[in-house]
Amino acid sequence: MNYYSYSAISKFKNCPLHFRYSYIDRIKPLRRTIEAFMGSRVHETLEKLYRDKLYAKTDTLEELLSFYNERWNREMKGNIFVVKDYDMDNYRRMGEIYITDYYNTYKPFDEGKTIALEKKLNFPIDDRYWITGIVDRITEVDGVYEVHDYKTSLYLPSRHEIDETQLAIYALAINHHYGVENIELVWHYLAFNKEIRIRKDSYEHVREEVIKSIEEIEEAISNDEFPPKESQLCNYCEYQPICPLFRHKYELDEMDIEEIENEDGFMLVNKYWEIEQKISELQARKEEIKKRLVEYARKKKINHVYGSEKMANIKFYRNFNMNDETGVAEVLKKHGLYEKYTRIDKIAVSKALEAGIMPPEVAKEIMKYIEEKEVVRIYLRNLSRRD
């Protein structure tokens, strides 16, 4: 690949397999989220607002909402799905609110001169790769070019949290095409009726970051390595029905109850879970019996306890856990013993404490930073005939 977009780079970071389906295999999306659908309709409506303005026509709010709902009804398809516990009309009304708030905030829409709407920009990020993207709106205000981006997300980042990569890339593209240095990035978070603005002397810092991301993608292409990456985004993925993480679930959804109960994978998982539960129960029983066996050995003051075919060899250890390695190091340095324990060899220190060969005054100070625990292990041995 020679052409990359911010969307492609972002998809690769979120899930390499998603990137492959979309940009290598070029599989048409199998479904679409209502969030993406609503976002597209809102973008179309705001584009109409400013395009009509170029032709000396200022749309009324009613005209824009009528356009929005007409496009909503025309483009609504059966593959659009809702993840959250709301219906599609909730999202349609959300879009109406976003458009209404924007309209009332920015009318009469004379903030600067519109240079381009939904402008496709291609430019070389270096001598190997080209970047392509579509800018929502480019405006000139007092010699400053503004890159506007509309967001319908329900998350409002702070200025420090915002990922400026996408718009910074567009700033580099505008500089390449228009020779403009003064560029401001503007995000419109429509759900909150707020905008975030960032203006820098240069956006060159993003160039190396983008090139590095592209090189990672190129390496993945070369090695044909596109593993799925599970995250919360999976719920919104348009390729979930064919993804190896979810494909089996969709196959089961197509079966009736009897087919599901006899399906190999379904049965194997259930059997595996049944065995896991039994193992957990047996492990709990084992620990209880171990506790009773240790108590028996202590009471009898013995280390070997005999059964019919096995003998239990019960061993008691002192285990020292360092809660504060820095504190232990200071004590050892103070007494000139630091090098002896190889810069705090935990095993060496523990053995010295257990064997009592460390000077008593040093051991006493070190124990302030160490938690001593008793460890008990039981080893089963076969009984010989003589036993």
Side-chain angles (χ1 to χ4, degrees), residues 197-338:
R197 290 175 172 265
I198 293 178
R199 183 175 175 182
K200 296 183 177 180
D201 294 334
S202 172
Y203 298 97
E204 282 295 326
H205 64 280
V206 80
R207 190 184 297 271
E208 287 303 317
E209 177 186 331
V210 170
I211 292 172
K212 181 179 178 181
S213 296
I214 292 175
E215 288 173 343
E216 291 175 358
I217 297 174
E218 290 286 315
E219 182 178 358
I221 294 173
S222 176
N223 298 327
D224 193 24
E225 292 181 354
F226 298 93
K229 183 177 179 180
E230 191 169 10
S231 71
Q232 292 182 344
L233 295 175
C234 291
N235 292 330
Y236 301 90
C237 178
E238 54 267 55
Y239 297 112
Q240 194 181 87
I242 61 173
C243 173
L245 300 181
F246 300 94
R247 188 171 62 240
H248 184 240
K249 173 184 176 296
Y250 281 87
E251 291 173 353
L252 293 178
D253 288 342
E254 296 297 319
M255 301 179 186
D256 57 36
I257 295 178
E258 185 176 347
E259 284 181 304
I260 292 175
E261 291 178 346
N262 292 300
E263 200 271 339
D264 286 345
F266 184 84
M267 290 192 299
L268 288 170
V269 170
N270 289 342
K271 193 65 178 177
Y272 189 86
W273 168 236
E274 179 184 333
I275 293 172
E276 279 286 311
Q277 287 180 304
K278 289 180 179 179
I279 290 173
S280 297
E281 293 171 2
L282 289 171
Q283 187 63 35
R285 288 181 60 192
K286 177 185 174 183
E287 289 300 318
E288 177 60 27
I289 292 172
K290 175 183 177 180
K291 179 181 177 181
R292 291 170 58 191
L293 186 54
V294 170
E295 290 174 351
Y296 177 86
R298 287 189 193 279
K299 182 178 179 181
K300 301 284 287 186
K301 296 182 179 179
I302 57 178
N303 293 94
H304 290 183
V305 182
Y306 293 78
S308 58
E309 298 182 11
K310 297 284 184 180
M311 178 269 287
N313 180 9
I314 303 172
K315 292 189 176 184
F316 299 89
Y317 302 90
R318 293 169 68 196
N319 189 15
F320 299 91
N321 295 322
M322 295 188 187
N323 297 326
D324 185 352
E325 288 191 24
T326 302
V328 175
E330 290 303 319
V331 173
L332 292 173
K333 289 177 181 178
K334 175 183 174 182
H335 293 276
L337 298 173
Y338 186 66

Side-chain angles (χ1 to χ4, degrees), residues 36-49:
F37 178 81
M38 183 263 285
S40 294
R41 305 291 78 79
V42 171
H43 275 72
E44 288 174 346
T45 304
L46 295 180
E47 180 190 357
K48 170 181 169 53
L49 169 63

